[in-house]
Amino acid sequence: MLTCTLFAGDALLESIANDQDRISRTRHRRDPAVRKVQIALLDRDPNCLPQFGADGDYGDETAGAVARFKIEVLGVPPAEVIDDVGPLTVLKLDELQAAAERPPAPSVTPEEWLLTDAELGPFRSPAFTRDNMVAFFVDAEGYYNLLADRLDALRAGDRLLFAGWRFSPEQLLRPTVAGSPGILDRLRALRADGVVVRVLLYGSHFSTLPVRRPRVPTMPSKDNFDFRTGLVDAGAEAILDARVGDFGSHHQKCAVVQGAAEGPCAFLGGIDVCLDRWDNGAHVDPPVRQREPDFLGKKIFTPGWHDVQCAVFGPAVGQIWQSLVQRWNDPTRPSRIDATPAPIPQSEAPGPPTRTGTQAVQVLRTLTCKGVYSFLPGGEFTVTAAYRKAIHRARHYIYIEDQYLWPSPLVEDLRDATGRGVQLILVTARDFDAPGLKDAHEALRTEALQRIASAAPANVHCFHLEQAASSAQIYVHAKLMIVDDQYVAAGSANLNFRSHTTDSELHLGVFDTDLADGTMGGTPHRVGVSVRDLRAQIWGEHLNEDPALHQDPLAGLARMPTTGGKTGHLVSFPVSAQVPAVDWRETVRELLRTIQHMENWQLLAPVVLGPLSLPLTLAPDMDLGVLADAIPDPESFLRRLLNPHTIC
């Protein structure tokens, strides 16, 4: 008798388990059992079938996945493999699926939540460090204030290493203080005072080609070029780094500040120092916020911005520093604009910490493969591995804030968690920050949510944020996961294929060894103090009520609005039964016309369209949008552009 929830009660699978039948590509190609087998295969290896490959159709992809399972798991010699699904395959899949569905044992040590040395691999040693102090900043005001304090304390000989997806030269760290300088002026002044300033900026094709104006909201091109040029002119070291894979970007948002007076610290999370990011928990759109300009007559309207950043003190700072130094010291030329910079010597590594705490911290990265990084040609995917371990360990709840919630390697893991009774709370952006791609965003998000909710829809709770007194969106930009009040993952990686396979990302896994007695649905439960406090702070902010009401997360969940309701800033929405229709060709057409509004667009268009190998003849007065008609599969092209899935 089959024991896993997925297989139990299926007449065909039970018959196969008893060696009385087999799934055949001809007789059972679209039997409901096919989809269940596909799901079980995907749970073992999410890359064994195409994206959302559990479509119930036993085609070539499923046959290949079945064959690999027989060879790699059952030990069948390749010459003896047939693509029918027989009893050995069903029984082994049932065993693996039952183990995945089984709730994990309670865990109160960092080794049970963080990747061990064996699980992390050769990327860092030790796999995690203890005795760190991590301060979590919800929204940018607190982060920017502390960053300004640490920069103000730097003196001649001190060092600053910054990395970001985007830097806006005019962005103020203290916009409420009259006369406060922009971030570029701050760093130029530090350099003039003898501070060593180094900055790694994402060098997109928009910034490494002579494409300067107009400024494109949500794109870092003009800002990063101007920021880099302003620093180089001041004698600082700044490079546009274009060493990325196809359709990839450098998405890390990190600073390591090494001051002799106050000791080393690091900042890491989802917040770039650029326009629109500054906000606070009230989310009332104060006039001091520096906003994106209009673009092509369209208002980029984000009246609120919710995000999370970490300040790190302790031995983890050295591992964060090393992660950035590896990028800086890569001998490959970073871009057509900048030569390879002088290496940063190991002698400049952060010294002993001056402040310690109770958190065990793991530094996690996504670095793509296929030889993009000479120091790590096979890439690194420890963000994905860490998320998988924490999701598997979840027994009560998983709380995720994410800008996208698009298809990703984690969708199946989240579906399995809900299937074993874990409550999944998801907070995402209501509208995409690039207006022309709104429909595509909604389609990708709906696909992921439908898949996540397919096992236990009652355990999936979806929300977005609005101003308390209006329907104006508060844009969710955070990349955060909290599990069972014991584990936090925070950083730059979104929940999509892009962040988990293609972009360079920097993330933290945090377990607080300062444990206290708490409750989970009224039942005694050990909690990490800083983890619980972070969750309660965020939930109190979203619901516009006292965080003390959220000491018990399952009781807090009961205070959240139900479908269609709104409490404070938090708005509940259902998982749509239908994926929104998208005119993919028209969306590509408008994207191409946007490119045409830039200077030297004739140079940029071949870069964007290059992977399609289209015969391009670009005339100055042409309508670039007509090229959309030459793209044979605009949906696949746009999906790869927005959410590239790099397979190693």
Side-chain angles (χ1 to χ4, degrees):
M1 184 174 181
L2 299 175
T3 60
C4 76
T5 303
L6 180 64
F7 285 1
D10 187 286
L12 177 58
L13 292 176
E14 293 282 3
S15 179
I16 294 171
N18 293 320
D19 202 12
Q20 296 173 351
D21 208 339
R22 306 177 74 88
I23 292 179
S24 164
R25 293 184 68 179
T26 55
R27 291 192 300 118
H28 302 107
R29 178 159 184 166
R30 290 184 174 84
D31 190 283
V34 171
R35 184 172 183 271
K36 297 176 183 179
V37 169
Q38 290 173 326
I39 290 172
L41 289 167
L42 285 166
D43 285 346
R44 174 186 167 269
D45 179 6
N47 293 320
C48 75
L49 292 169
Q51 180 175 304
F52 298 110
D55 55 6
D57 184 0
Y58 197 135
D60 291 339
E61 297 89 352
T62 305
V66 169
R68 286 190 294 276
F69 183 83
K70 291 181 177 181
I71 295 168
E72 297 169 5
V73 179
L74 300 181
V76 178
E80 299 178 15
V81 169
I82 59 175
D83 60 19
D84 283 3
V85 177
L88 294 180
T89 301
V90 168
L91 288 170
K92 189 61 178 180
L93 285 173
D94 179 64
E95 174 191 334
L96 296 173
Q97 185 69 20
E101 293 172 354
R102 193 175 301 124
S107 51
V108 290
T109 66
E111 289 82 3
E112 291 170 301
W113 283 102
L114 305 175
L115 299 173
T116 63
D117 288 301
E119 292 168 328
L120 185 77
F123 301 111
R124 274 165 297 288
S125 183
F128 61 87
T129 57
R130 299 173 184 264
D131 302 323
N132 297 281
M133 187 181 84
V134 180
F136 298 101
F137 291 97
V138 181
D139 307 312
E141 182 179 34
Y143 161 48
Y144 280 6
N145 279 336
L146 181 57
L147 177 61
D149 288 343
R150 300 294 295 201
L151 295 181
D152 288 346
L154 295 177
R155 298 294 180 264
D158 290 340
R159 292 184 291 275
L160 170 66
L161 178 57
F162 232 140
W165 179 81
R166 178 183 175 192
F167 290 89
S168 296
E170 68 271 40
Q171 179 60 49
L172 306 174
L173 296 182
R174 291 194 175 110
T176 60
V177 177
S180 179
I183 183 62
L184 175 59
D185 288 341
R186 275 186 179 275
L187 299 194
R188 286 170 61 94
L190 289 175
R191 180 67 193 96
D193 290 340
V195 175
V196 178
V197 176
R198 298 185 178 101
V199 181
L200 276 164
L201 305 99
Y202 167 42
S204 72
H205 290 302
F206 293 82
S207 51
T208 58
L209 288 172
V211 180
R212 299 286 167 259
R213 282 180 291 275
R215 182 203 311 275
V216 182
T218 79
M219 296 225 177
S221 53
K222 182 179 187 299
D223 278 9
N224 283 4
F225 181 84
D226 291 348
F227 196 80
R228 169 256 179 214
T229 303
L231 287 175
V232 170
D233 289 347
E237 297 178 78
I239 59 173
L240 290 170
D241 190 355
R243 296 169 291 195
V244 296
D246 291 342
F247 298 126
S249 71
H250 289 299
H251 199 236
Q252 300 169 343
K253 301 117 176 13
C254 182
V256 179
V257 185
Q258 298 172 254
E262 296 192 330
C265 71
F267 299 94
L268 184 157
I271 305 179
D272 280 300
V273 184
C274 64
L275 295 177
D276 253 326
R277 276 19 176 208
W278 188 95
D279 202 357
N280 54 38
H283 297 299
V284 294
D285 198 17
V288 295
R289 284 191 70 216
Q290 295 168 270
R291 306 296 299 281
E292 294 278 14
D294 291 353
F295 177 59
L296 304 183
K298 295 181 180 179
K299 183 67 176 177
I300 309 300
F301 189 59
T302 51
W305 196 278
H306 172 70
D307 221 328
V308 175
Q309 193 86 352
C310 307
V312 184
F313 304 85
V317 174
Q319 292 192 334
I320 295 169
W321 178 86
Q322 187 64 48
S323 296
L324 296 184
V325 167
Q326 283 185 309
R327 271 185 60 197
W328 184 277
N329 288 354
D330 189 324
T332 308
R333 183 170 180 168
S335 67
R336 70 185 71 206
I337 289 178
D338 290 310
T340 304
I344 299 174
Q346 191 62 32
S347 60
E348 291 190 13
T354 56
R355 300 170 67 181
T356 57
T358 61
Q359 283 112 328
V361 173
Q362 187 154 66
V363 178
L364 306 163
R365 289 189 299 189
T366 298
L367 294 174
T368 199
C369 54
K370 298 185 177 179
V372 173
Y373 303 100
S374 64
F375 62 87
L376 206 59
E380 177 181 335
F381 305 97
T382 51
V383 173
T384 306
Y387 267 72
R388 282 216 167 113
K389 181 171 184 176
I391 292 169
H392 176 71
R393 292 225 58 84
R395 299 174 65 239
H396 302 286
Y397 83 88
I398 299 169
Y399 176 69
I400 289 177
E401 294 185 348
D402 193 85
Q403 180 181 8
Y404 298 121
L405 287 175
W406 287 356
S408 85
L410 303 177
V411 164
E412 300 301 320
D413 302 83
L414 293 171
R415 184 191 62 82
D416 287 348
T418 66
R420 64 174 185 266
V422 175
Q423 299 299 312
L424 178 60
I425 304 106
L426 303 170
V427 178
T428 185
R430 185 188 72 190
D431 302 322
F432 196 39
D433 61 347
L437 298 172
K438 180 178 182 295
D439 291 345
H441 161 65
E442 290 185 358
L444 291 169
R445 184 177 67 183
T446 301
E447 289 172 359
L449 292 180
Q450 285 181 344
R451 188 84 179 120
I452 290 169
S454 62
N459 294 338
V460 180
H461 314 273
C462 302
F463 303 93
H464 58 72
L465 301 180
E466 296 176 353
Q467 287 187 341
S470 76
S471 61
Q473 176 181 213
I474 299 168
Y475 193 71
V476 176
H477 191 260
K479 302 93 172 60
L480 174 74
M481 182 173 75
I482 307 175
V483 183
D484 287 353
D485 279 8
Q486 292 181 345
Y487 177 84
V488 174
S492 68
N494 288 298
L495 202 153
N496 57 16
F497 278 121
R498 170 179 286 281
S499 283
H500 284 264
T501 71
T502 304
D503 287 354
S504 67
E505 306 284 5
L506 198 54
H507 225 74
L508 295 181
V510 180
F511 177 90
D512 193 349
T513 61
D514 181 13
L515 296 165
D517 291 330
T519 58
M520 189 74 63
T523 301
H525 178 76
R526 296 285 279 173
V527 303
V529 172
S530 65
V531 178
R532 178 194 59 195
D533 291 349
L534 171 63
R535 180 193 52 74
Q537 177 190 353
I538 291 174
W539 288 14
E541 176 183 310
H542 290 343
L543 292 165
N544 200 20
E545 58 188 25
D546 188 346
L549 296 170
H550 297 278
Q551 296 298 294
D552 185 317
L554 297 186
L557 174 59
R559 301 183 64 83
M560 295 181 180
T562 54
T563 299
K566 177 177 178 179
T567 303
H569 303 295
L570 198 65
V571 182
S572 176
F573 69 91
V575 177
S576 175
Q578 299 293 328
V579 176
V582 181
D583 188 334
W584 297 97
R585 194 172 301 280
E586 186 60 28
T587 302
V588 172
R589 192 186 319 281
E590 290 306 308
L591 178 65
L592 294 174
R593 285 171 175 160
T594 296
I595 292 172
Q596 195 165 10
H597 284 274
M598 302 176 189
E599 291 181 355
N600 297 292
W601 63 268
Q602 295 95 331
L603 297 174
L604 182 58
V607 172
V608 175
L609 296 169
L612 298 175
S613 301
L614 296 177
L616 298 179
T617 302
L618 303 178
D621 58 349
M622 72 179 295
D623 174 6
L624 189 60
V626 301
L627 291 179
D629 296 325
I631 297 175
D633 188 348
E635 178 178 352
S636 294
F637 168 71
L638 197 55
R639 284 178 178 271
R640 286 190 295 118
L641 182 68
L642 294 175
N643 195 26
H645 182 190
T646 302
I647 299 176
C648 299

